[in-house]
């Protein structure tokens, strides 16, 4: 066996050595899919394929970064070269790939290279303005709801012209009135973005794919650029991502897709399960299908539970995960009185895992509203368990409140995924200065920063600037505006000549943000610390010249996902624990956010009928919806490596109403002989219900 294939099992090796034609790798949870893809890429290079002719696309920056580092390491080990001696394959997320294609063809699309990427809140603001512009009330017509409709349509590869044609067809009945309003809002929204030289997330995929589909010359450039294409998490692709993959690979059909129908959990944002189920039909008789069923992550007990859960689903290719790992501990199950009792169980169990006993304090000294004086939650000497090996999962975001309160009560450092570093106000303000310097047409950015720090420029003045009436303003106001634009010009000059980290330091000082925050409240000082963290983060872009570093930083910031917060040293939510960084915290997250991650210990909370499986407002779920909830639980189970805890609360307060719960059907599907009850349910003498 060749050295570069050592360490692969028979199925992984078969996938890694496949050279020509379409390949579908059905990879179960923990079956080593990243290892298989990266070794396949190395094998292609070993067989004479130039690294730059290989494309690998995944869904999160974290996954792309890990894949890139692994490929780099494999090439380095195999050829004894430094990273400067060779070109790497093109590894990116779908959205980053869209940005790359759009930037290279910006003029064709009527854009400049420095277009602004709108985040969700920026998009919602523009949609809200569009709703007002057509004379409607945003309180009656929710901008987020309309934005979601537009996003869903774009994910189906529907552009505005197609949508307008559909809703104006007399035969179209479904949601006709709302649909016509959506069409009007969408029309104005597109005009506002064009005026600002900006795109939203969905445009990055839609415009790049539309360009590939409609422009044969440009399509051929990228088909010839990449001879071998790899698509990770193929079960999560929507219509646009599916079409983009197909267009790029149609020249020679050297496409390798990796995925697992059992982990399709994103239908609500357009992921289409049929893309992976129909791969063989789409790419013809030459398709090679390889199943990776050996799990290297979890114990036998955890896998048995996962297999029992998922086998009830009908819309899936038949497979059964197995492992050579030990049987492992039984799955812990706790029946709690309510969400506070459940959260207390999680917190005390974490302390037990860390082998960190609580300090004694007199009974009756602590009530439910006070914080007990407890020992810091740190592992004792010699204990190998650490906080980053522990994750607490929940189905809905609101569940984090009780869990966070318990973490604070027991002094357990924690991090909530979903609280993104790049969404902090001070970070968005700093980045807005950089974007506006590169793209002065970005009215959203100008509006955000022109009066921060305060410059005495009010809304009326702003409206006149945007409508081209600047000359009608008083001379003192015009001087203020000119000074602001001079700051942007100076920042732009720095971007073109200085390192990224130095540009951020200059921007914060020149704009007045540093003075504003350093002389403010303690909270302002903390915000300044966050900006310093941004400058530290920017160090990794300092090697990119001619303004490319700032471009890359702004792109990464715009496309950051929940999981990317794991890669940034953000301050802890509890000010008392601010010295604790992400590498020493328990992770709290939704099950959706946990996709692709793994932990030694996993708690899955809220296993109640109506919560998990989830049921919105009592409405009946379709068979497809029910299967997705089961897939979601399967994903949650398979995040655990050694120990799994499940919990259920008899009572839970939701939207101010205390509800009595029944146990989730999922618990009954797990064999009783691999479950062990944890603790005892609190006794109840009298319960008063409103």
């Amino acid at each position: 066996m060749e050295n570069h294939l050592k360490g692969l099992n028979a199925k992984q090796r078969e996938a890694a050595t496949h050279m020509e034609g379409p390949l579908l790798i059905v990879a179960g949870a923990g079956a080593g899919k990243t290892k298989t893809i990266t070794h396949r890429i190395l094998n292609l290079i070993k067989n004479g394929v130039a690294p730059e002719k290989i494309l690998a696309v995944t869904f999160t920056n974290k996954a792309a970064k890990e894949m890139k580092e692994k490929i780099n390491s494999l090439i380095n080990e195999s050829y004894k070269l430094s990273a400067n001696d060779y070109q790497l394959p093109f590894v990116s997320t779908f959205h980053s790939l869209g940005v790359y294609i759009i930037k290279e063809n910006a003029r064709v699309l009527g854009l400049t290279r420095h277009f602004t990427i709108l985040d969700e809140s920026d998009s919602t603001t523009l949609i809200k303005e569009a709703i007002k512009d057509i004379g409607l009330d945003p309180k009656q017509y929710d901008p987020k709801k309309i934005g979601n409709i537009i996003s869903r349509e774009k994910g189906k590869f529907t552009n505005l012209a197609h949508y307008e044609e559909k809703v104006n067809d007399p035969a179209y009945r479904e949601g006709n009135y709302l649909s016509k309003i959506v069409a009007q809002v969408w029309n104005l929204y597109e005009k506002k973005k064009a005026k600002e030289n900006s795109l939203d997330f969905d445009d990055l995929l839609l415009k790049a794919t539309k360009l590939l589909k409609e422009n044969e010359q440009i399509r051929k450039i990228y088909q010839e650029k990449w001879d071998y294409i790899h698509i990770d998490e193929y079960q999560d692709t929507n219509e646009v991502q599916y079409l983009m993959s197909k267009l790029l690979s149609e020249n020679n059909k050297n496409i390798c897709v990796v995925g697992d129908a059992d982990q399709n959990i994103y239908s609500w944002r357009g992921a289409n399960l049929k893309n992976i189920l129909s791969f063989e039909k789409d790419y013809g008789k030459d398709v090679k299908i390889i199943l990776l069923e050996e799990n290297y992550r979890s114990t036998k007990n955890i896998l048995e539970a996962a297999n029992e859960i998922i086998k009830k689903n009908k819309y899936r290719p038949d497979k059964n995960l197995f492992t050579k790992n030990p049987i492992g501990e039984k799955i812990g199950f706790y029946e709690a009185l309510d969400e506070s009792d459940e959260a207390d169980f999680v917190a005390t169990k974490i302390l037990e895992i860390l082998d960190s006993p609580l300090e004694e304090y007199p009974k009756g000294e602590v009530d439910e509203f006070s914080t007990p004086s407890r020992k810091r939650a740190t592992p004792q000497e010699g204990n190998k368990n650490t906080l980053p090996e522990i994750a607490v999962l929940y189905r809905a975001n609101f569940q984090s409140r009780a869990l966070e309160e318990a973490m604070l009560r027991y002094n357990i450092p924690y991090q909530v995924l979903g609280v993104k570093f790049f969404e902090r106000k001070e970070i968005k303000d700093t980045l807005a200065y950089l974007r506006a310097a590169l793209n002065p047409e970005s009215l959203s950015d100008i509006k955000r920063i022109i009066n921060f720090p305060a410059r005495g420029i009010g809304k009326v003045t702003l409206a006149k600037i945007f409508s081209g009436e600047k000359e009608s303003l008083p001379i003192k106001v015009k001087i203020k505006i000119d000074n602001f634009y001079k700051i942007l010009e100076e920042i732009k000059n720095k971007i073109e000549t200085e390192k990224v980290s130095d540009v951020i330091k200059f921007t914060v000082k020149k704009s007045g943000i540093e003075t504003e925050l350093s002389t403010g409240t303690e909270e302002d000082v903390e915000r300044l610390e966050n900006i310093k963290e941004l400058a530290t983060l920017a160090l990794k872009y300092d090697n990119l010249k001619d303004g490319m570093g700032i471009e890359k930083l702004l792109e990464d910031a715009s496309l950051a996902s929940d999981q990317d917060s794991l890669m940034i040293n953000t301050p802890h939510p509890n000010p008392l624990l601010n010295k604790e960084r992400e590498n020493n915290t328990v992770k709290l997250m939704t099950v959706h956010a946990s996709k692709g991650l793994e932990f030694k210990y996993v708690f899955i909370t809220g296993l109640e009928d109506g919560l998990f499986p989830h049921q919105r407002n009592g409405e009946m779920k379709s068979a497809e919806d029910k299967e997705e909830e089961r897939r979601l639980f399967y994903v949650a189970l398979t995040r655990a490596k050694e120990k799994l805890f499940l919990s259920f609360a008899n009572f839970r307060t939701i939207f101010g109403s205390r509800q009595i719960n029944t146990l989730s059907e999922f618990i009954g599907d797990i064999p009783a002989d691999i479950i062990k009850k944890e603790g005892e349910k609190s006794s109840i003498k009298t319960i008063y219900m409103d």
Side-chain angles (χ1 to χ4, degrees), residues 481-647:
I481 294 164
D482 288 342
N483 287 339
F484 169 73
Y485 278 97
K486 280 179 186 174
I487 291 171
L488 295 185
E489 189 61 36
E490 288 185 57
I491 293 171
K492 184 179 181 183
N493 291 336
K494 290 288 183 182
I495 287 172
E496 292 169 352
T497 57
E498 303 283 341
K499 292 178 180 178
V500 178
S501 55
D502 291 335
V503 172
I504 290 171
K505 292 171 189 174
F506 174 81
T507 300
V508 176
K509 192 176 289 291
K510 189 69 182 178
S511 65
I513 291 176
E514 184 175 61
T515 303
E516 177 83 6
L517 296 180
S518 60
T519 57
T521 63
E522 284 187 24
E523 187 179 345
D524 287 335
V525 174
E526 188 180 321
R527 285 175 175 166
L528 188 57
E529 290 296 318
N530 290 338
I531 296 174
K532 289 179 181 177
E533 187 69 49
L534 177 65
T536 302
L537 175 69
L539 288 170
K540 70 177 183 178
Y541 301 93
D542 278 354
N543 62 325
L544 299 172
K545 307 297 181 187
D546 303 321
M548 295 301 292
I550 286 290
E551 275 194 46
K552 185 61 179 163
L553 169 64
L554 292 173
E555 179 188 323
D556 288 351
S558 297
L559 302 180
S561 66
D562 291 349
Q563 289 188 4
D564 293 327
S565 61
L566 289 171
M567 301 188 288
I568 301 171
N569 289 331
T570 55
H572 193 272
N574 178 4
L576 297 173
L577 304 177
N578 254 340
K579 291 182 180 178
E580 297 293 342
R581 296 298 192 170
E582 61 85 22
N583 63 346
N584 195 29
T585 57
V586 170
K587 305 299 183 288
L588 274 58
M589 68 192 85
T590 64
V591 180
H592 281 101
S594 75
K595 177 80 179 299
L597 303 177
E598 59 179 42
F599 301 90
K600 192 172 179 180
Y601 301 91
V602 171
F603 294 81
I604 306 174
T605 61
L607 282 161
E608 297 128 37
D609 188 40
L611 182 54
F612 201 3
H614 196 61
Q615 195 168 348
R616 193 184 300 275
N617 300 326
E619 63 191 29
M620 293 295 291
K621 280 188 170 288
S622 66
E624 289 82 1
D625 290 337
K626 288 178 180 177
E627 291 214 352
E628 179 148 341
E629 284 296 305
R630 194 166 281 276
R631 290 195 294 269
L632 192 58
F633 186 52
Y634 172 83
V635 166
L637 293 171
T638 52
R639 298 313 92 201
K641 294 195 283 187
E642 292 186 17
K643 180 67 178 180
L644 186 61
F645 297 95
L646 311 176
S647 59

Side-chain angles (χ1 to χ4, degrees), residues 649-663:
N650 282 282
F651 302 93
R652 190 177 296 275
T653 303
I654 301 177
F655 298 120
S657 175
R658 192 166 168 83
Q659 298 181 2
I660 304 175
N661 302 313
T662 56
L663 192 61

Side-chain angles (χ1 to χ4, degrees), residues 294-396:
E294 183 172 357
N295 176 286
Y296 292 91
R297 178 187 299 157
S298 307
T299 64
K300 285 185 171 70
N301 277 338
I302 292 169
L303 275 197
E304 183 180 352
N307 284 331
E308 288 297 318
I309 286 294
I310 203 62
K311 75 180 186 183
K312 283 197 169 184
N313 277 4
K314 294 178 182 177
Y315 303 109
R316 62 184 292 265
D318 188 35
K319 75 175 191 304
N320 196 61
L321 287 184
F322 69 93
T323 185
K324 294 173 185 172
N325 288 339
I327 292 175
E329 293 186 50
K330 290 187 176 184
I331 296 168
F333 173 67
Y334 183 71
E335 184 177 350
L337 171 61
D338 56 18
E339 64 266 35
S340 294
D341 182 29
E342 178 184 54
D344 269 359
F345 161 72
V346 171
T348 53
K349 186 57 70 173
I350 288 171
L351 293 176
E352 188 180 308
I353 289 168
L354 294 173
D355 194 23
S356 178
L358 305 180
E359 287 182 347
E360 292 296 323
Y361 54 89
K363 288 182 180 179
E365 185 179 306
V366 180
D367 62 30
E368 63 181 306
F369 301 105
S370 64
T371 303
S373 172
R374 296 180 184 269
K375 195 173 180 180
R376 284 288 292 109
T378 52
Q380 287 190 344
E381 191 175 344
N383 192 325
K384 294 181 180 179
N385 295 325
T386 59
L387 290 166
E389 294 175 321
I390 304 169
V392 185
L393 311 184
Y394 38 84
R395 178 62 181 83

Side-chain angles (χ1 to χ4, degrees), residues 348-497:
T348 53
K349 186 57 70 173
I350 288 171
L351 293 176
E352 188 180 308
I353 289 168
L354 294 173
D355 194 23
S356 178
L358 305 180
E359 287 182 347
E360 292 296 323
Y361 54 89
K363 288 182 180 179
E365 185 179 306
V366 180
D367 62 30
E368 63 181 306
F369 301 105
S370 64
T371 303
S373 172
R374 296 180 184 269
K375 195 173 180 180
R376 284 288 292 109
T378 52
Q380 287 190 344
E381 191 175 344
N383 192 325
K384 294 181 180 179
N385 295 325
T386 59
L387 290 166
E389 294 175 321
I390 304 169
V392 185
L393 311 184
Y394 38 84
R395 178 62 181 83
N397 279 305
F398 77 85
Q399 292 173 253
S400 73
R401 181 194 60 80
L403 292 163
E404 287 188 69
E405 288 175 358
M407 297 299 130
L408 292 171
R409 271 200 305 277
Y410 290 91
N411 271 353
I412 299 173
Y414 69 94
Q415 179 185 12
V416 182
L417 266 72
V419 180
K420 300 177 190 173
F421 177 74
F422 292 114
E423 286 182 355
R424 295 174 183 270
K425 180 187 181 300
E426 60 275 15
I427 302 301
K428 291 189 76 169
D429 290 339
T430 306
L431 295 178
Y433 270 98
L434 300 175
R435 281 198 301 267
L438 292 171
N439 178 20
E441 301 301 314
S442 179
L443 302 185
S444 295
D445 287 319
I446 299 293
K447 191 184 297 183
R448 182 180 188 95
I449 59 175
I450 197 167
N451 209 35
F452 179 75
R455 296 183 176 89
I457 300 172
K459 289 183 179 179
V460 174
T461 302
L462 202 58
K464 287 190 175 183
I465 297 170
F466 290 168
S467 59
E469 300 174 40
K470 177 187 166 186
E471 294 309 312
S472 68
L473 295 168
I475 187 69
K476 285 185 178 180
V477 177
K478 280 199 281 187
I479 290 171
K480 290 177 183 177
I481 294 164
D482 288 342
N483 287 339
F484 169 73
Y485 278 97
K486 280 179 186 174
I487 291 171
L488 295 185
E489 189 61 36
E490 288 185 57
I491 293 171
K492 184 179 181 183
N493 291 336
K494 290 288 183 182
I495 287 172
E496 292 169 352
T497 57

